[in-house]
Amino acid sequence: MSLIAICASLYAVIGYLTYLGIFAPAIGVVRFWPAVFLPAVFSIVFGPLVGAAGAAIGIFISDMIIHGNALLSLTVGVPANFIGFYLVGEIYRKSGSERKILAMTVLELSVAFIVAALFYSYGLLPMDLLIASLIALVATLVPALFFKGDDRRIVFAGSTGLMVGSAIIGIGVWAFSQFFLLPTGDRNLPFWAAFAWFIWTYVTEVPFIALLAPPTIRVIRKAVVTRG
């Protein structure tokens, strides 16, 4: 229980301090969230339930501070974080060969960029965000290519869990808007907004998992071994 509390506290506090007031362009609601690597670390090191519960509680706390809509948080943010980070821990423990892991990671990143490119082609995504998406995905691909063994598994697990969580957020926020006002004051947004939230969440967060989770996990494990 104490580990869940630590995870939730770190996620909420560091998330709030680092989101910089940045939200998804044009449609808002979903914010920039570098702290995403923290529950991924807890899920991998201490178990899926620890990371998932810590993420769910932490995101609820931060939601209450930032937009104050408890219903939106409980129906979208909380389940998306719980499921996504639970999967991170489970996938890490059950992932297969390195070749398969690398292939799946490349596939996930490719799908994300294709979706972003399609949105750009239809005028739903500005060029600067498309370029930012490409940079973010490359920043994730490079570690996936050069990391070996456990670090590569961490990147794959983090990417996959985040992709699922991002999809839940995208569809969930869109569905919420069909019945209730969003914190932005908008309602009944078109379905393409779900894809926009999905791609924004995934491409702005996955580099932080890929770049920060592996070294953080190594430090924690080394500290535990040294202490033991």
Side-chain angles (χ1 to χ4, degrees):
M1 192 65 180
S2 60
L3 286 172
I4 293 175
I6 292 171
C7 178
S9 300
L10 288 173
Y11 194 40
V13 172
I14 295 178
Y16 178 75
L17 293 175
T18 57
Y19 90 103
L20 306 177
I22 300 173
F23 292 85
I27 51 178
V29 184
V30 180
R31 55 191 178 269
F32 179 61
W33 206 242
V36 69
F37 78 96
L38 289 166
V41 168
F42 275 81
S43 186
I44 289 170
V45 177
F46 302 111
L49 187 58
V50 172
I57 296 169
I59 203 66
F60 181 76
I61 294 171
S62 65
D63 281 346
M64 292 304 94
I65 296 172
I66 294 170
H67 62 65
N69 191 321
L71 183 60
L72 176 60
S73 184
L74 290 171
T75 56
V76 182
V78 169
N81 274 264
F82 186 90
I83 294 170
F85 289 108
Y86 189 88
L87 286 175
V88 170
E90 281 294 305
I91 292 169
Y92 169 78
R93 284 159 175 75
K94 297 178 180 179
S95 53
S97 67
E98 282 202 44
R99 182 175 296 180
K100 181 179 179 180
I101 288 172
L102 180 58
M104 290 299 296
T105 304
V106 171
L107 176 62
E108 290 172 356
L109 297 174
S110 299
V111 167
F113 183 71
I114 289 170
V115 172
L118 285 173
F119 268 74
Y120 171 75
S121 68
Y122 284 100
L124 300 174
L125 192 73
M127 173 61 81
D128 55 352
L129 187 54
L130 179 66
I131 294 173
S133 299
L134 179 59
I135 293 171
L137 295 174
V138 169
T140 305
L141 179 60
V142 170
L145 290 173
F146 288 96
F147 285 170
K148 302 292 183 182
D150 198 56
D151 286 351
R152 183 175 285 174
R153 289 170 61 204
I154 292 169
V155 174
F156 170 62
S159 171
T160 306
L162 179 62
M163 182 164 277
V164 173
S166 300
I168 294 172
I169 288 173
I171 295 172
V173 176
W174 169 80
F176 187 93
S177 78
Q178 306 307 301
F179 301 96
F180 308 101
L181 283 176
L182 293 171
T184 56
D186 295 315
R187 188 172 180 177
N188 293 317
L189 269 71
F191 189 63
W192 65 260
F195 290 92
W197 280 312
F198 160 72
I199 197 66
W200 161 264
T201 304
Y202 181 75
V203 302
T204 60
E205 294 181 5
V206 70
F208 293 100
I209 292 179
L211 296 172
L212 298 180
T216 303
I217 289 170
R218 286 198 300 271
V219 169
I220 292 173
R221 285 175 172 166
K222 185 176 181 180
V224 170
V225 171
T226 302
R227 185 177 178 181

